[in-house]
Amino acid sequence: MVKTHVPDLASMGRPVSLSALIAQAASRVLAWLRRVMAPSSPYRVGDAVVAEDPFHGRREGIVVSRRGPSVGVGTATGILHFDHRQLKRQE
């Protein structure tokens, strides 16, 4: 069956204002800047580290996860998360 009426493709989308486009671009740039400027850990997954924490004591283990300044260290008792400033490389 052949349609006799074809909708205009230009009228199918919602109109977008210039201010909405600028706001969307600005939010993307700010999100990118927050991600780039956030503190990150100098340790890589697989590095052997020693964690010294007043609550957990001294723990030795391997870095298993990183998220910003937080580092997950796999120890004999499980995975503990530390701030990267509490870690030192094993000698």
Side-chain angles (χ1 to χ4, degrees):
M1 179 177 204
V2 178
K3 293 185 179 179
T4 59
H5 174 69
V6 178
D8 183 17
L9 295 178
S11 67
M12 294 180 78
R14 292 189 340 222
V16 179
S17 67
L18 181 60
S19 61
L21 287 175
I22 291 172
Q24 184 180 17
S27 68
R28 286 183 183 175
V29 168
L30 288 175
W32 177 77
L33 280 174
R34 278 191 215 111
R35 192 173 56 247
V36 169
M37 300 301 284
S40 63
S41 170
Y43 303 103
R44 297 184 188 272
V45 174
D47 286 350
V49 295
V50 176
E52 296 195 21
D53 184 26
F55 302 108
H56 296 108
R58 182 182 171 101
R59 304 287 178 132
E60 296 180 357
I62 296 175
V63 176
V64 293
S65 68
R66 291 177 32 184
R67 181 174 287 178
S70 178
V71 176
V73 178
T75 63
T77 59
I79 297 176
L80 299 173
H81 294 276
F82 295 95
D83 187 24
H84 73 276
R85 295 173 289 185
Q86 296 173 326
L87 301 177
K88 295 179 185 174
R89 297 194 191 278
Q90 278 188 347
E91 298 173 355

